[in-house]
Amino acid sequence: MSQKYKESGVSLDNGYESVERIKKHVQRTKNKGMMSMIGGFGGVFDLSKYNFKNPVLVSGTDGVGTKLKLAFELNKHDTIGIDVVAMCVNDILAQGAIPLFFLDYLAVGKNNPKQIEEIVKGVSDGCVESNIALIGGETAEMPGFYKEDEYDIAGFCVGAQEKELLISKENTKVGQIVIGIKSSGFHSNGFSLVRKILSDNKIELSEKFEDTTIGEKLLTPTKIYAKEVLSLIENVKIAGISHITGGGFYENLPRCLKSGLGMKIKKDSYEVPSIFRYIQEKGNIEDDEMYQVFNMGVGLAVVVNREDVSKVFEIIPESFKLGEVIDEEGIKLI
C-alpha cells in the first residue's frame, strides 16, 4: 500500500478494514428495494418493488451537531448513528413519506476501524428501526482537519408516497386537535447551549442523574417515529405533522399550518421530562426560551380532526392532547 500516503496521515489499510467491519451491519438493513451492497460508486434502489402508482419522492438530510462532543468525551459511539438516521427520517415522515433508503457521510481525523464500526452499527440500528436500507455512504479520512479522535457525521434519506397521500398543511383548519408524541430527551438539538450550561456550572458528564449519569442521559439517541407515523397514515386522516427540532415549539409547529393559522398549546397537558428542568434550573433559563430552543419532551406533533383523536390514542397510547389549531397566527403557550 502507499507508504507516502500513510506518512501524510491516511491509512488505506485501515480504510479497507473499516469496510469489512461494517458490511455485516449494512446487511441488516436490507429491505425489498435494496439492490446493491456497499462498494459501488452509487447506491441502487428498486422503487418498483413498492408498487406505487403515482409516487412522489421526499428527501431529507441532517447531522447530529455538537451532541458529538459528548460522544467524544464519553468515548461512546454506538448510538450517535441512530441520531443521524432519526433526524433525517423524522423529517420525511412529517411529509407522510415511507422511508426507503439512506446514505451516510463520515469524516474522521484518523481512520479507527473499531470506532467506525461502532458508529455504523448505530446507523444500521436506526435504519433497521425505520425499515430503511443503508445503500451507500462515504468515509473520509482528513488528518489535520479533524483531531485524531474526532469526527463529523451527516446523513441523507429518501422516501416516497402516493402524491395524493402526501401530508399537506393546506388541510389544517381551526378547531383541529394537536396531539403530542413524546421525545426520548433532547434528541439532537440545542446541545451548544446544554454544553455551555454544563461548562459554566462545572458539571461533569459522570455526575449522577436519577438512575444513570448526566452524560448517558444526554446521549440518549433521538427517537425514530417511523412505526407510529406509518400506522397513523394507514388509519387516520392527518392534517399536519411537525417534527420538533432546533427552534423548539415556536419555529417548528407553524411549519405544519397553512397561512393565517396558529396553535394554542397547553403546557400542563403532559409532564416535561426532568432532564429539561435540570438544564433549565442550572442555566437560569426562562420557560419561554426553553420552548424556543428545545423540544421539551415532545418530539412530534400531529394535527387531526377531533373525531380522530381517540383513534390516535389507540394507535399511540402514550400520546396526549397538546393543544388545538386557532385562527390567529403564532404559537400561544398557556
Side-chain angles (χ1 to χ4, degrees):
M1 298 303 162
S2 171
Q3 183 61 33
K4 292 296 185 181
Y5 208 12
K6 186 175 182 179
E7 290 172 1
S8 75
V10 177
S11 172
L12 295 178
D13 288 334
N14 285 352
Y16 301 145
E17 181 184 345
S18 295
V19 171
E20 289 303 312
R21 280 175 171 263
I22 67 177
K23 281 182 178 178
K24 60 181 179 291
H25 299 295
V26 175
Q27 184 61 38
R28 291 192 291 119
T29 73
K30 184 177 178 63
N31 62 17
K32 61 185 178 182
M34 186 177 185
M35 293 180 63
S36 61
M37 284 291 290
I38 57 173
F41 287 99
V44 183
F45 191 88
D46 186 358
L47 186 59
S48 69
K49 296 291 186 182
Y50 288 77
N51 298 315
F52 287 108
K53 294 182 177 64
N54 191 22
V56 173
L57 297 179
V58 182
S59 60
T61 186
D62 210 337
V64 182
T66 63
K67 186 175 185 176
L68 288 170
K69 287 286 189 181
L70 304 184
F72 303 157
E73 189 170 339
L74 293 172
N75 193 28
K76 180 175 171 55
H77 311 282
D78 60 342
T79 61
I80 213 74
I82 301 174
D83 286 299
V84 75
V85 174
M87 295 304 290
C88 297
V89 166
N90 289 341
D91 275 352
I92 69 167
L93 287 168
Q95 303 295 125
I98 299 170
L100 298 175
F101 62 84
F102 189 85
L103 295 93
D104 63 354
Y105 173 78
L106 179 61
V108 301
K110 183 177 182 179
N111 192 317
N112 179 333
K114 183 177 182 297
Q115 183 186 74
I116 287 175
E117 181 182 0
E118 290 178 359
I119 297 167
V120 176
K121 174 190 177 297
V123 173
S124 298
D125 288 343
C127 287
V128 169
E129 189 174 343
S130 309
N131 192 28
I132 190 171
L134 179 56
I135 65 170
E138 167 70 7
T139 300
E141 189 171 13
M142 302 170 65
F145 195 88
Y146 294 98
K147 294 179 181 179
E148 282 196 1
D149 57 348
E150 296 190 356
Y151 55 86
D152 195 11
I153 188 169
F156 171 81
C157 71
V158 172
Q161 185 55 277
E162 300 289 0
K163 188 173 183 179
E164 64 274 15
L165 294 180
L166 285 176
I167 295 172
S168 170
K169 62 184 179 182
E170 294 306 311
N171 292 322
T172 54
K173 57 187 178 181
V174 175
Q176 288 175 327
I177 302 302
V178 184
I179 303 295
I181 306 177
K182 293 180 179 179
S183 70
S184 55
F186 285 93
H187 285 182
S188 298
N189 299 106
F191 276 90
S192 293
L193 176 55
V194 170
R195 290 172 42 250
K196 182 179 187 303
I197 290 169
L198 296 181
S199 176
D200 288 348
N201 288 273
K202 297 181 171 54
I203 299 170
E204 299 291 336
L205 295 181
S206 58
E207 183 176 308
K208 289 292 183 183
F209 184 85
E210 296 177 341
D211 58 350
T212 182
T213 64
I214 290 292
E216 290 284 348
K217 191 73 173 178
L218 292 174
L219 208 55
T220 300
T222 305
K223 181 173 173 56
I224 295 172
Y225 296 97
K227 294 181 179 66
E228 290 89 341
V229 170
L230 295 181
S231 182
L232 286 178
I233 289 172
E234 290 181 0
N235 295 281
V236 178
K237 179 62 176 177
I238 300 174
I241 297 180
S242 177
H243 180 204
I244 313 298
T245 57
F249 281 38
Y250 288 102
E251 183 176 330
N252 291 288
L253 289 176
R255 295 169 68 181
C256 73
L257 295 173
K258 68 181 177 184
S259 179
L261 299 182
M263 287 183 187
K264 180 171 63 178
I265 301 297
K266 294 184 66 176
K267 292 194 290 184
D268 62 355
S269 60
Y270 70 103
E271 185 176 353
V272 175
S274 56
I275 187 64
F276 290 94
R277 295 308 186 195
Y278 175 87
I279 291 297
Q280 180 176 11
E281 178 186 346
K282 296 296 182 182
N284 192 27
I285 305 172
E286 295 291 334
D287 240 30
D288 197 55
E289 186 171 358
M290 290 292 291
Y291 285 91
Q292 287 180 36
V293 178
F294 303 115
N295 69 59
M296 297 301 285
V298 182
L300 210 69
V302 181
V303 180
V304 297
N305 294 322
R306 287 181 181 272
E307 59 266 27
D308 291 324
V309 170
S310 59
K311 188 67 175 178
V312 175
F313 291 161
E314 287 177 22
I315 296 170
I316 311 173
E318 291 190 345
S319 60
F320 48 90
K321 182 180 174 181
L322 182 64
E324 63 180 273
V325 179
I326 59 176
D327 61 359
E328 183 180 349
E329 286 189 348
I331 304 303
K332 304 192 182 307
L333 299 178
I334 60 172

